Amino acid sequence: GKIGLAQNRLSSNVTVCDVTADDVTDLRVDKPPEWKTLGERALSQGKIAVVTLAAGVGSRWTEGAGVVKAIHPFCKFAGRHRNFLELHLAKSRKTGRESGTKIPHIFTTGYLTDRPIRDHLSTVNHYGYDGRVFLSRGRSVGLRTIPTQRDLRFAWEEMPQQMLDEQQQKMRASVRSALLEWSRLTGEGTNYTDNVPLQCMHPVGHWFEFPNLLRSGTLQELLTSSPNVDYLLLHNIDTLGANLDPLHLGAHLAAKATLSFEVISRRLDDRGGGLARVNGRPRLVEGLAMPDEDIEFELSFYNSMTTWIHLDRLLAVFGLTRSDLTNQTRVDDAIRSLANRLPTYITLKDVKKRWGHGQEDVFPVAQFEKLWGDMTALPEVACHFMVTDLLRGQQLKQQSQLDGWLRDGSAKGIDRLCEWE
């Protein structure tokens, strides 16, 4: 009863409203030249590395097909189709050559994507990238559970539902009654193991990607080869416009923040929370945590999740220093301690159970996750929020977005940020 679909939401007596102009730095308007100079100096001194999150398979991108999104050739640039990995390395290559330095680039992987990404980058020789390319293997995985009847009823009765015609409603009610009985007989909240292993496991959320850097030894390896690195740029694999722009880096340095998050103006199809004031304090709120679904449509800014990180200050939030990274026991204890202070979200996922001979059933199972944006809720984390243009912050989540993305000039804008091999 401590975690569940109902407990995902913030308390109903919490005040959630839109942020004010004083809560953000609008880099679409404010572009002081001293910030750009500050960022250019940090780049030339080799003080930053890029972390690209590529642990998921991108099920929305393929609508369920078993394709690793990061290595999917999705658009033609400079005469041939390029994938997400190549595009991000091309951006870092251009920035590195302009600043006269070799920028380390880290790709985080998960249990489904590590081997394909590792093999692919080895085959193409990292696309001839000038600097070091690191792969941070995932160190966390979840085991799905049988959902509780309480969570099933909440999903079916409290969450928004499409109304069907009379016969379809009866059929749906019958199916749901059978699933409630399945949950009771199988054991509410028990481990889901009645399937192939890959259907029983699940990713545990992108909050764990920075801890994975610590657990896998990748951060220690980075700092050994590039001891000057003081900052990280962390972004999703599908946030194509995110790059080491000197202005944005300078704005982060000038703010003296632990974490600087980039947000964009909300569009109609942007769902999943955003930047809000919660009891008077600006922070990122996940869609799962909204006490009322209508509040999300009142928020001006959507979270692109692109984050500029002051490395030593973030390590201090975990209670660590650089010298602690070789002490695995201390690192694990620090990660568990901080994880216990962050909310754990429960979601329901439909999973197929194949019986053979063309027979299959679909069962709703429960899985948990912790999300990176909730770092903004910790009082000791100094957070800064920067409004950027749409080109920089928009994400390609579905292939249906590609047509509009090509037509509105976004693809050409991304191409200008790249230097291809």
Side-chain angles (χ1 to χ4, degrees), residues 177-243:
S177 177
L179 289 173
L180 287 170
E181 185 67 7
W182 165 76
S183 170
R184 184 184 70 82
L185 293 175
T186 309
E188 300 176 70
T190 59
N191 293 336
Y192 176 70
T193 56
D194 186 24
N195 210 326
V196 296
L198 286 181
Q199 291 284 55
C200 299
M201 298 189 298
H202 70 93
V204 287
H206 40 58
W207 180 82
F208 286 94
E209 296 304 339
F210 183 81
N212 285 341
L213 291 177
L214 310 181
R215 282 184 165 139
S216 67
T218 306
L219 185 61
Q220 175 64 26
E221 187 181 357
L222 166 69
L223 295 178
T224 300
S225 62
S226 304
N228 286 343
V229 170
D230 291 328
Y231 308 98
L232 300 175
L233 171 62
L234 179 146
H235 66 87
N236 270 334
I237 190 74
D238 51 26
T239 311
L240 303 183
N243 74 328

Side-chain angles (χ1 to χ4, degrees), residues 368-386:
F368 71 91
E369 56 186 14
K370 291 180 181 289
L371 303 179
W372 178 247
D374 286 319
M375 291 292 287
T376 60
L378 298 177
E380 69 270 29
V381 180
C383 295
H384 175 226
F385 303 99
M386 305 185 293

Side-chain angles (χ1 to χ4, degrees), residues 128-142:
Y129 185 64
D130 302 336
R132 288 284 304 274
V133 176
F134 300 88
L135 292 182
S136 174
R137 193 191 303 267
R139 284 292 185 267
S140 304
V141 70

Side-chain angles (χ1 to χ4, degrees), residues 392-421:
R392 182 174 175 84
Q394 68 177 330
Q395 299 174 336
L396 282 182
K397 295 294 186 185
Q398 298 173 322
Q399 292 191 43
S400 58
Q401 297 173 264
L402 281 172
D403 184 62
W405 183 76
L406 286 165
R407 291 173 181 270
D408 67 9
S410 296
K412 291 183 178 178
I414 299 299
D415 193 18
R416 289 193 291 269
L417 300 176
C418 300
E419 183 172 328
W420 304 104
E421 182 188 11

Side-chain angles (χ1 to χ4, degrees), residues 94-150:
K94 181 171 184 178
T95 304
R97 290 180 178 176
E98 289 177 346
S99 59
T101 186
K102 296 180 179 179
I103 297 169
H105 201 121
I106 301 171
F107 292 100
T108 67
T109 64
Y111 67 96
L112 289 171
T113 66
D114 182 76
R115 178 51 56 190
I117 290 177
R118 197 174 294 272
D119 289 347
H120 179 79
L121 285 176
S122 176
T123 300
V124 298
N125 191 30
H126 301 99
Y127 293 106
Y129 185 64
D130 302 336
R132 288 284 304 274
V133 176
F134 300 88
L135 292 182
S136 174
R137 193 191 303 267
R139 284 292 185 267
S140 304
V141 70
L143 179 60
R144 289 168 170 153
T145 62
I146 306 298
T148 63
Q149 294 195 33
R150 179 186 66 250

Side-chain angles (χ1 to χ4, degrees), residues 65-80:
V67 175
V68 178
K69 182 176 180 179
I71 58 178
H72 182 211
F74 69 99
C75 186
K76 183 178 284 188
F77 293 102
R80 66 180 180 87

